[in-house]
Amino acid sequence: MKYFTKNDLLKMDKVKRLNIVNSITGIKPGNLIGSISNDNEPNLAIFSSVIHLGSNPALLGFILRPQERVRRDTYNNILENGSYTINHLPNDLTKNGHYTSAKFGKKQSEFEYCKFKEIFIDQFKAPFVKESFLGIGMQYIESIPIKVNNTIMVVGSVEHIFVQENAISKEGYINLETLKSSGIGGLNSYYKLTKIDSYPYARVKELPEF
């Protein structure tokens, strides 16, 4: 078993430290966040930091890296019009999704260059990803600064959910394997998701034999 202290990490080569710390949380969801500027310039970006914040009301959050040195079109678009989409990354399009993280120009659409099709639903402003089997239309609520490393948690409310019909049970459980959704390990390793099992609500008096 390899052992690292905080001091070991601080003394480590930057790239190796980055890779280790980004990998220790395990598999994270692979999502494409779609947004659009008020000048109708679409943007698509890969994120592995989307998290559930609550079900009533339905809230999701995601983390943005520090803003000072790099233009953040996703965040700027969200602040402009308040709308964005979160789309599961299909496991046969992980390479396409990965390259949405390249530093495209503001007027260069990741949809076009990375071969995704943008679709618009009803009057919702932000684009969904046609190739995704689960898309969520989000309304921006607030930004929460994380002062220790100058990142931001963006909080939004779930306004629309589109999900492949055969992937959702009558109880509302969504099978991510059926959806062919991808997971991300570290910054650039992509994984297929395989369902292991489903278990009932855990109660002490109903513990099984392990």
Side-chain angles (χ1 to χ4, degrees):
M1 176 96 44
K2 189 69 176 176
Y3 170 62
F4 301 104
T5 66
K6 181 177 181 179
N7 283 335
D8 292 331
L9 293 174
L10 290 174
K11 295 175 184 177
M12 195 176 291
D13 171 77
K14 176 183 177 181
V15 173
K16 184 175 181 179
R17 179 177 66 244
L18 182 149
N19 288 334
I20 289 174
V21 176
N22 273 281
S23 298
I24 57 175
T25 55
I27 302 298
K28 298 162 287 188
N31 286 292
L32 295 165
I33 293 187
S35 62
I36 193 167
S37 72
N38 284 342
D39 293 327
N40 290 320
E41 295 167 342
N43 181 266
L44 191 65
I46 186 80
F47 281 84
S48 63
S49 60
V50 174
I51 57 172
H52 164 88
L53 295 177
S55 299
N56 187 22
L59 301 174
L60 300 177
F62 71 94
I63 303 297
L64 279 166
R65 295 176 184 174
Q67 306 293 300
E68 290 89 353
R69 299 179 183 176
V70 180
R71 192 186 74 250
R72 303 293 183 192
D73 290 332
T74 296
Y75 191 45
N76 293 339
N77 291 346
I78 291 172
L79 293 181
E80 277 190 14
N81 59 63
S83 299
Y84 57 104
T85 67
I86 299 174
N87 307 269
H88 284 207
L89 175 63
N91 56 38
D92 60 345
L93 291 171
T94 53
K95 183 181 289 186
N96 306 57
H98 179 73
Y99 278 91
T100 64
S101 62
K103 293 179 175 63
F104 290 97
K106 183 172 177 57
K107 295 184 180 296
Q108 294 177 307
S109 171
E110 292 84 357
F111 281 96
E112 177 183 353
Y113 281 86
C114 297
K115 306 303 180 185
F116 288 102
K117 176 69 174 176
E118 59 194 83
I119 57 172
F120 295 89
I121 307 297
D122 297 328
Q123 301 302 310
F124 196 73
K125 180 145 180 99
F128 289 82
V129 176
K130 182 178 181 180
E131 293 81 4
S132 177
F133 298 115
L134 192 152
I136 311 162
M138 301 293 299
Q139 182 65 39
Y140 172 72
I141 293 179
E142 64 176 321
S143 298
I144 301 173
I146 302 173
K147 296 179 181 179
V148 68
N149 64 353
N150 204 30
T151 55
I152 296 172
M153 175 184 283
V154 176
V155 178
S157 66
V158 176
E159 304 293 319
H160 306 278
I161 301 174
F162 299 93
V163 59
Q164 184 174 298
E165 188 171 359
N166 69 338
I168 184 168
S169 72
K170 62 181 180 180
E171 298 86 8
Y173 294 112
I174 294 176
N175 188 318
L176 302 179
E177 181 179 9
T178 300
L179 287 179
K180 299 180 180 178
S181 299
S182 300
I184 300 177
L187 292 175
N188 56 6
S189 296
Y190 292 80
Y191 295 82
K192 293 181 178 180
L193 304 179
T194 302
K195 183 177 178 179
I196 297 173
D197 206 341
S198 294
Y199 304 107
Y201 183 83
R203 295 180 174 86
V204 173
K205 64 180 180 180
E206 297 174 0
L207 286 182
E209 293 293 329
F210 295 114

